[in-house]
Amino acid sequence: MLEKIEIIQRFNFKKLNKHYDCFIIDLVRGNAYFNINEMIYPDRFFETNYLASYPWSPILNDLKKRVSSKIHHLDEKSIDYIQKKFADLKLFNDFESESFSYFEKLENVYSCNINLYFSGDYQEYCIKNNFPENWIEFGEMLFNLFNFDVLNISNLEKIVTNLFFNIQHDGVYDKKNNRLELTSIEFGHYEVYPYDTPHPSVMVDVENREITGYYEKEDIDLTVLYNLLEKYGVYEWIFESYQNKSKNHDSPVLDGYDWYLELVFNNSIIWNILGHNEYPDTYLCLAYDVKKLTGLDLLEIESIPQEEIELFNNYGKEKLL
């Protein structure tokens, strides 16, 4: 019989804008509550609300407000309902859990761990891009019980995962197969030590066809941009299928560099990946082409050790076959 559910969710919007919380539903003691809430440097740059100019600001503001010390008390009827409804949902039947590490070398915007405690059994599942079939129905069940969006379903409507979107080699589509419009790109690359704050190196305003940052250009050819993103499978970098080098080899660098790439679609829908001395398999392939086009090492090839470059070259070539 199901005795406890732990729902651990992480949101990563650049290094200094993260949110982590754990909501526990204890069916033995008959209560539910937030056990852990950690906003990493929540007000380092913003005294009150996050700046509205950032697409992720409404999400972080909502996350900051939703966590409370309230203890939700569950009566026997509610406990029976949760146990029966959860069993009926068959949430994790035939579900393939994604890999998880407490120190992720490559991080997506969102991840969720579900820990299930049964009488004499324990199960753990990790969700990053692929969700159980009845996930939204599970979220509706929790909302009806606790009167708030426990699974952040509404926030996930603005984050690129397979819950509400289809991520393809040539772009991101909604569930009606409408291709989302890419409106901006931001890339940042910075030293871990001495401590450096995340900052953009290159920004692309797709709507105005303009590049700013370390390289500036107006009236850019968007066809070149779209071809590069598609050629190197950038939209799919958030999947483990583009992270083979990272999975199979650890970087010898201890401090080194952090980096992030953020794509914004329709002015509000966020695709994001962060790295810690690790990169997707085709990152260097893209970096070489960007350097040829601009004459600048905008993706910081020179910051990567030579032995790592050789590995990335091999994995990149294999991926492009």
Side-chain angles (χ1 to χ4, degrees):
M1 181 175 291
L2 181 63
E3 295 183 346
K4 185 165 67 173
I5 304 173
E6 291 178 348
I7 303 169
I8 303 165
Q9 297 179 91
R10 298 170 182 82
F11 290 81
N12 300 300
F13 302 100
K14 306 185 181 70
K15 186 174 182 179
L16 296 185
N17 298 294
K18 296 187 177 186
H19 178 87
Y20 170 81
D21 65 45
C22 174
F23 189 70
I24 295 176
I25 305 170
D26 192 331
L27 302 177
V28 175
R29 293 182 172 84
N31 53 41
Y33 53 92
F34 279 105
N35 186 41
I36 301 172
N37 169 45
E38 181 182 357
M39 289 288 293
I40 301 181
Y41 306 116
D43 300 310
R44 184 166 187 129
F45 300 114
F46 315 107
E47 293 182 0
T48 52
N49 288 341
Y50 292 91
L51 297 178
S53 59
Y54 294 100
W56 38 262
S57 302
I59 298 175
L60 271 181
N61 280 321
D62 180 64
L63 293 170
K64 188 164 65 170
K65 294 173 183 175
R66 70 195 287 273
V67 177
S68 73
S69 58
K70 179 179 179 179
I71 297 177
H72 303 263
H73 297 285
L74 301 169
D75 56 24
E76 289 188 12
K77 182 178 179 181
S78 297
I79 293 171
D80 290 342
Y81 169 74
I82 292 172
Q83 290 174 330
K84 184 179 185 306
K85 182 69 173 178
F86 190 85
D88 290 344
L89 284 174
K90 299 179 180 178
L91 199 62
F92 295 106
N93 283 20
D94 301 321
F95 175 74
E96 186 174 344
S97 178
E98 297 177 76
S99 64
F100 170 75
S101 170
Y102 284 103
F103 179 75
E104 296 278 8
K105 294 182 284 185
L106 292 169
E107 296 183 80
N108 294 350
V109 175
Y110 176 80
S111 65
C112 176
N113 279 55
I114 301 290
N115 302 329
L116 303 176
Y117 298 81
F118 297 89
S119 304
D121 189 22
Y122 169 78
Q123 299 173 14
E124 181 177 2
Y125 301 93
C126 180
I127 299 162
K128 295 177 182 176
N129 287 300
N130 302 314
F131 291 76
E133 184 177 347
N134 294 322
W135 189 254
I136 293 177
E137 190 175 350
F138 180 44
E140 291 171 349
M141 179 194 90
L142 296 176
F143 188 95
N144 292 334
L145 283 164
F146 304 114
N147 200 33
F148 77 97
D149 189 0
V150 177
L151 297 185
N152 284 290
I153 300 297
S154 60
N155 286 327
L156 288 171
E157 292 179 348
K158 296 295 184 181
I159 295 174
V160 175
T161 68
N162 278 338
L163 184 62
F164 289 108
F165 304 98
N166 294 321
I167 301 99
Q168 304 294 337
H169 196 76
D170 65 340
V172 178
Y173 296 78
D174 64 20
K175 291 300 184 179
K176 295 181 180 179
N177 208 34
N178 298 308
R179 183 172 178 171
L180 304 188
E181 181 182 352
L182 180 64
T183 49
S184 68
I185 300 174
E186 182 175 311
F187 171 78
H189 195 283
Y190 44 92
E191 285 187 277
V192 174
Y193 183 85
Y195 186 76
D196 196 2
T197 56
H199 57 272
S201 305
V202 180
M203 293 164 287
V204 182
D205 183 338
V206 178
E207 291 182 309
N208 293 314
R209 300 171 61 191
E210 181 181 20
I211 301 175
T212 56
Y214 295 160
Y215 177 80
E216 297 187 352
K217 187 174 182 179
E218 297 179 350
D219 196 28
I220 62 173
D221 186 348
L222 294 179
T223 303
V224 174
L225 173 66
Y226 293 135
N227 286 344
L228 286 174
L229 294 174
E230 182 175 344
K231 179 179 179 180
Y232 297 115
V234 173
Y235 304 109
E236 298 178 292
W237 279 3
I238 58 177
F239 294 126
E240 291 182 1
S241 60
Y242 271 83
Q243 300 173 10
N244 296 291
K245 186 275 173 190
S246 176
K247 288 188 295 183
N248 296 323
H249 305 273
D250 289 327
S251 171
V253 181
L254 296 179
D255 293 318
Y257 294 85
D258 285 348
W259 67 278
Y260 68 88
L261 177 64
E262 177 184 86
L263 311 181
V264 178
F265 298 88
N266 296 7
N267 288 307
S268 61
I269 298 170
I270 305 160
W271 178 108
N272 199 323
I273 187 170
L274 302 91
H276 313 281
N277 295 313
E278 286 290 356
Y279 305 87
D281 294 339
T282 57
Y283 178 90
L284 273 189
C285 301
L286 173 64
Y288 294 139
D289 272 8
V290 170
K291 188 173 182 179
K292 288 178 184 177
L293 287 168
T294 64
L296 298 173
D297 184 16
L298 295 178
L299 271 60
E300 305 284 356
I301 301 169
E302 293 183 1
S303 69
I304 304 173
Q306 185 58 41
E307 61 269 30
E308 290 286 280
I309 286 178
E310 292 175 4
L311 285 170
F312 280 117
N313 286 339
N314 291 334
Y315 277 96
K317 289 176 183 177
E318 184 176 326
K319 196 67 187 175
L320 294 172
L321 289 177

